[in-house]
Every structure is written in structure tokens, then in C-alpha cells.
């Protein structure tokens, strides 16, 4: 529940990212601390899974950034690293895939309505938060269903 609350707050705060293209580190840190605490309280932390999650998407973003500088911001990379620590590597990839899908739909609509061009940059933070929140909620629903029956 704490993850969802902080995730919701991050989505609200990501309006700032849409305007300033900057994700504040304190929200990323708060999400990570509460998420790790929640995981520890529920089932204990699997350090291997957390480490794999930390490196999963964020390392791909770093590599892409090295090949094509400016592709992703530092806040996007930190956010995916912290989300991976909390979600694990498989769910982190699922959250990232959802974010890419949502951002693709957004870009398609904006291009179709001529509100942006193919060279326009978009803030990725709001889409990452939506993917992370979606994956967190799906995890809660799945774990709730498995404990009920």
C-alpha cells in the first residue's frame, strides 16, 4: 500500500517533469525506502532479485545514453533503478514496457494532431511512473488473489 501511495504521489509530482524535465531525487528515494521496507515487512528481501532489478532497465538506459547522449535523463535512470530494486527485474521490465507503450501512444496522438514533430523531446518520467504504478497495482492484486484462495 505504501508503494502505491508514494507511486501516486510521484505521478502527481511528475507534472513537474513535464514542465521542467527534472525528476526530484527525494521522491525517488522516498519510493525506494518505502518500497524496500514494504517488501522486507511482507516477505523479506531477496538481495539477488533486488540487485538484478536495480541493474535491469537502468543499465540498458545507461548504455543507450552512452551510444546516443541525451536519450534519457538521469532522473529516468535513477527511477528505473529504484523501481527495479523494489519490483525485481521481471516486473521492472514489465513496468518499463508499459511506460514505452504509453509514451508511444502519446507521441502518436501528438504527431497526428501536429502538436509535436518527430524531433520533439518528451518527458519520460510521467510514463515511467504510470508503468511502475500499474505494475505495483497488478502485483498487489495478484498477491491479494493468491492469499484469498
Amino acid at each position: 500500500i505504501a508503494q502505491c501511495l508514494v507511486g501516486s504521489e510521484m505521478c502527481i509530482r511528475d507534472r513537474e517533469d513535464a514542465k521542467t524535465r527534472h525528476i526530484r531525487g527525494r521522491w525517488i528515494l522516498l519510493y525506494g525506502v518505502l518500497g524496500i521496507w514494504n517488501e522486507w515487512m511482507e516477505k523479506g528481501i531477496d538481495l539477488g532479485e533486488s540487485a538484478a532489478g536495480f541493474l535491469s532497465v537502468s543499465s540498458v538506459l545507461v548504455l543507450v545514453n552512452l551510444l546516443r547522449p541525451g536519450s534519457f535523463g538521469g532522473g529516468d535512470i535513477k527511477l528505473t533503478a529504484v523501481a527495479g530494486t523494489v519490483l525485481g527485474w521481471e516486473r521492472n521490465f514489465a513496468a518499463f514496457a508499459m511506460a514505452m507503450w504509453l509514451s508511444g501512444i502519446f507521441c502518436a496522438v501528438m504527431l497526428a494532431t501536429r502538436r509535436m514533430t518527430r524531433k520533439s523531446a518528451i518527458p519520460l518520467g510521467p510514463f515511467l511512473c504510470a508503468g511502475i504504478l500499474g505494475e505495483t497495482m497488478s502485483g498487489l492484486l495478484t498477491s491479494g488473489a493468491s492469499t484469498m484462495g
Side-chain angles (χ1 to χ4, degrees), residues 30-102:
L30 180 62
Y31 171 69
V33 168
L34 287 176
I36 290 169
W37 178 76
N38 189 42
E39 289 293 313
W40 177 66
M41 293 301 288
E42 283 186 14
K43 59 184 174 227
I45 294 177
D46 180 356
L47 293 178
E49 179 71 17
S50 289
F54 180 86
L55 294 171
S56 61
V57 175
S58 60
S59 60
V60 172
L61 297 185
V62 168
L63 288 174
V64 170
N65 239 12
L66 289 173
L67 296 172
R68 197 165 162 94
S71 298
F72 298 99
D76 299 331
I77 295 169
K78 289 184 278 188
L79 181 57
T80 58
V82 169
T85 303
V86 175
L87 296 173
W89 72 271
E90 290 176 343
R91 291 178 61 209
N92 196 28
F93 270 116
F96 185 70
M98 186 184 306
M100 293 295 99
W101 184 75
L102 291 171

